[in-house]
Amino acid sequence: MKTLLLGVAVIGALVAGTAQAQVPADRSVVYRKAGFQMMANHFGRINAHIKGERNLTPAQLELSAQVVDSMAKVVYDGFIEGTDQSKGNKAKPEIWKEWAKFKDAQAKLQGETPKLLAAAKGGDKAALQAAFGGVGGSCKNCHDAYQSKEVIQ
């Protein structure tokens, strides 16, 4: 629990800083990696709950969905148009070559995560599974197009 709270605090600090100023280019890769890791951790918790591998309380389930939704809104600030920052990470150069398509993929994810949050609040497992699938599909489509399997050198 301490790790979770610390992670939320770190991301919260990053988000607060972003609200006041654009993420500096030299910190953008660290910023987006931290945000995506936080999102993945909480998405994994929801997945484990759906599969019956983990029993989250309604409050824990809602918190995880809130983190996924919040990160989807801010993590893309770590991708700065016109700055191909592919080296040393898994972000393909196509992100910056296909900026409009990348932004469309971002918008699709941001359209799905509120559904996940609403389903988590509603307590209906079938609705949660459907919303989880929508978010997962958006993640997969973007990863297939814009994430390398290996770190780009």
Side-chain angles (χ1 to χ4, degrees), residues 1 13 42 49 60 90 97 114 123 125 128 132 151:
M1 186 60 138
H42 284 272
H49 177 80
Q60 290 170 323
K90 295 182 178 182
K97 293 174 186 168
K125 189 169 183 176
L128 182 64
F132 183 89
V151 172

Side-chain angles (χ1 to χ4, degrees), residues 25-103:
D26 64 335
R27 298 289 302 150
S28 65
V29 174
V30 171
Y31 176 90
R32 67 181 185 243
K33 282 181 166 183
F36 280 125
Q37 185 61 54
M38 182 65 72
M39 184 185 295
N41 287 342
H42 284 272
F43 198 61
R45 288 167 46 109
I46 296 168
N47 187 35
H49 177 80
I50 289 170
K51 290 180 174 181
E53 298 168 357
R54 185 172 191 167
N55 188 23
L56 298 178
T57 67
Q60 290 170 323
L61 187 60
E62 184 177 337
L63 172 65
S64 285
Q66 181 64 59
V67 169
V68 171
D69 184 51
S70 295
M71 291 298 98
K73 292 175 183 165
V74 299
V75 73
Y76 291 95
D77 290 345
F79 294 94
I80 302 170
E81 185 175 14
T83 61
D84 181 345
Q85 299 171 325
S86 299
K87 291 188 178 15
N89 63 87
K90 295 182 178 182
K92 290 182 178 178
E94 285 79 6
I95 290 171
W96 293 274
K97 293 174 186 168
E98 302 173 359
W99 189 253
K101 287 182 184 178
F102 179 69
K103 295 300 281 181

